[in-house]
Amino acid sequence: MAGKITFTMLKPDAVEANNIGPILAKINEGGFRIVAMKYLRLSPEQAGQFYAVHKERPFYGELVSYMSSGPIVAAVLTKDNAVADFRKLIGATDPTKAEEGTIRKMFAKSIAANAIHGSDSDENAQIEANFFFSQLERF
Ligand code: UDP
Ligand code: MG
């Protein structure tokens, strides 16, 4: 069903700071169900492929090396209106601009090391979920 799933990654800074548990709790409290999850480290090639849309941006090289610098947690989440509601829950890309109570406000270290990823559209949520998981249920 459209609008039902989104994809997230807990980024290397969040995993390194031992914040997997508290962030997953916030995600559940926000009304999301976790329907697939794995802990892994991306190779620079995988990180580059995942963020290929940002290839021309000045921060691309730094983003790729950062996202492959340590383990992450990748997960698929379900909720009605999942993409938009999850973007609201995580807050602005730059944590200094993120609203009080958002995951990035609470856990992000900087604009680059900003704790968590959230898909920006239903189409990208499906593409990103398929990048990490095969044989997903159809939600
Ligand atoms: N990023 C960065 N510098 C910037 C903008 C973005 O390092 O000026 C990183 C940051 O980790 C961000 C990711 O690149 O989460 C993807 O950028 P996007 O604009 O898609 O932000 P998001 O959708 O994650 O809020
Ligand atoms: Mg984005």
Side-chain angles (χ1 to χ4, degrees):
M1 198 198 310
K4 195 84 168 122
I5 79 157
T6 193
F7 171 79
T8 188
M9 289 185 286
L10 311 194
K11 296 186 178 183
D13 59 289
V15 173
E16 172 62 23
N18 217 14
N19 283 330
I20 296 172
I23 293 174
L24 292 180
K26 288 282 293 177
I27 289 171
N28 283 151
E29 285 159 17
F32 294 86
R33 302 185 74 86
I34 299 164
V35 296
M37 182 160 65
K38 71 168 83 159
Y39 177 97
L40 76 157
R41 183 167 176 169
L42 291 170
S43 68
E45 292 71 28
Q46 288 173 312
Q49 199 188 335
F50 184 87
Y51 281 112
V53 299
H54 294 310
K55 210 173 257 174
E56 307 307 326
R57 309 275 290 275
F59 57 83
Y60 179 71
E62 210 182 321
L63 176 61
V64 167
S65 67
Y66 167 63
M67 286 303 296
S68 55
S69 68
I72 62 156
V73 173
V76 180
L77 309 173
T78 62
K79 182 184 185 298
D80 289 338
N81 201 31
V83 166
D85 286 1
F86 194 69
R87 295 291 304 199
K88 216 173 292 164
L89 181 67
I90 71 178
T93 308
D94 179 351
T96 66
K97 297 184 180 133
E99 272 182 53
E100 217 51 61
T102 61
I103 291 174
R104 281 171 167 166
K105 181 71 174 188
M106 294 173 76
F107 298 105
K109 310 276 187 244
S110 67
I111 189 165
N114 61 0
I116 191 160
H117 169 82
S119 305
D120 62 8
S121 67
D122 290 345
E123 188 192 358
N124 284 336
Q126 199 61 60
I127 291 168
E128 292 171 358
N130 291 337
F131 185 90
F132 284 91
F133 301 98
S134 58
Q135 300 183 318
L136 283 168
E137 296 287 333
R138 273 189 257 148
F139 298 100

